[in-house]
């Protein structure tokens, strides 16, 4: 089975952990700790100038998110599939009310300011399906491609350092963090143990 452009795949999902320490113990590997943004999950496909944006439920919403499509057209590649979060940021760079982001995905499109997509995974690049490659390798290629549209991430096995990433994410009013096995492939449609989410109440 191969990934086909403009045929969206079910996103890889995460199990829940009560704390960062628990997540590190359960992953039992070098881990990537990244901010969990309070946005809307998007999967973006591009080939040449053609771009399509899909939701977590695989609905196409490109016409509502043309600014995201335009940003992806400017990336230095011919074809790509990206996994990320669309979010509205306020003037300080922190998330606006979730309703401002969600309004762009409803049946009646609300005008919102500053809608942007930030990415955490790469599924395809210039004819190559990379879903079976380790996360740490996909991440390096993603960073080279999207630059400042990359969701912040730290590779660590140190609980104190991981807690620091969580504190920083919460300071910026995000939901929490994702703790991911650095060696994990992208398992479309699975809620496996390789990805864990930590969302403090």
């Amino acid at each position: 089975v191969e990934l086909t452009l403009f045929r969206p795949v079910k996103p890889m999902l995460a199990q829940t952990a009560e704390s960062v320490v628990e997540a590190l113990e359960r992953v039992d590997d070098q881990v990537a700790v990244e901010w969990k943004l309070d946005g809307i999950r998007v999967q973006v496909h591009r080939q040449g100038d053609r771009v399509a944006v899909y939701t977590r439920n695989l609905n196409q919403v490109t016409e509502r998110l043309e600014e995201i499509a335009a940003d992806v057209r400017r990336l230095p590649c011919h074809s790509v599939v990206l996994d990320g979060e669309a979010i509205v940021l306020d003037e300080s760079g922190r998330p606006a009310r979730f309703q401002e982001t969600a309004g762009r995905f409803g049946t009646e499109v609300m005008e919102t300011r500053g809608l942007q997509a930030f990415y955490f995974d790469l599924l395809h690049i210039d004819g190559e399906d990379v879903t079976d490659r380790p996360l740490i390798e996909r991440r390096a290629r993603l960073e080279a491609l999207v630059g400042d549209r990359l969701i912040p991430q730290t590779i660590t096995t140190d609980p104190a350092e991981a807690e620091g990433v969580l504190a920083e994410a919460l300071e910026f009013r995000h939901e929490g963090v994702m703790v991911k096995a650095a060696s994990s492939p992208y398992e479309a449609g699975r809620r496996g143990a390789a990805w864990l989410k930590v969302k403090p109440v």
Side-chain angles (χ1 to χ4, degrees), residues 168-181:
E168 187 178 31
L170 295 176
E171 181 183 343
F172 277 83
R173 297 202 304 258
H174 293 298
E175 287 189 307
V177 292
M178 300 289 295
V179 176
K180 302 176 178 179

Side-chain angles (χ1 to χ4, degrees), residues 1-10 43-47 50 52 54 58 79-82 123-125 127-131 188:
V1 177
E2 293 182 348
L3 186 152
T4 301
L5 288 168
F6 306 105
R7 185 175 296 169
V9 298
K10 292 183 178 179
Q43 185 179 126
V44 187
H45 292 227
R46 172 189 167 191
Q47 186 170 44
R50 180 185 174 192
Y54 303 92
L58 312 187
S79 64
V80 70
V81 177
L82 301 163
L123 284 66
H124 170 99
I125 179 70
E128 182 184 357
D129 180 347
V130 294
T131 54

Side-chain angles (χ1 to χ4, degrees), residues 19-81:
S19 68
V20 169
V21 172
E22 179 196 326
L24 265 63
E25 290 172 351
R26 285 170 57 185
V27 170
D28 192 27
D29 187 7
Q30 187 180 41
V31 300
V33 185
E34 67 187 29
W35 294 7
K36 187 178 188 312
L37 274 56
D38 189 16
I40 301 285
R41 186 89 174 255
V42 291
Q43 185 179 126
V44 187
H45 292 227
R46 172 189 167 191
Q47 186 170 44
D49 287 334
R50 180 185 174 192
V51 176
V53 185
Y54 303 92
T55 66
R56 174 175 168 161
N57 295 326
L58 312 187
N59 297 316
Q60 189 184 156
V61 291
T62 315
E63 66 282 356
R64 304 176 199 171
L65 305 173
E66 184 51 43
E67 61 269 69
I68 290 175
D71 282 345
V72 171
R73 283 189 194 98
R74 287 191 286 267
L75 296 179
C77 62
H78 177 73
S79 64
V80 70
V81 177

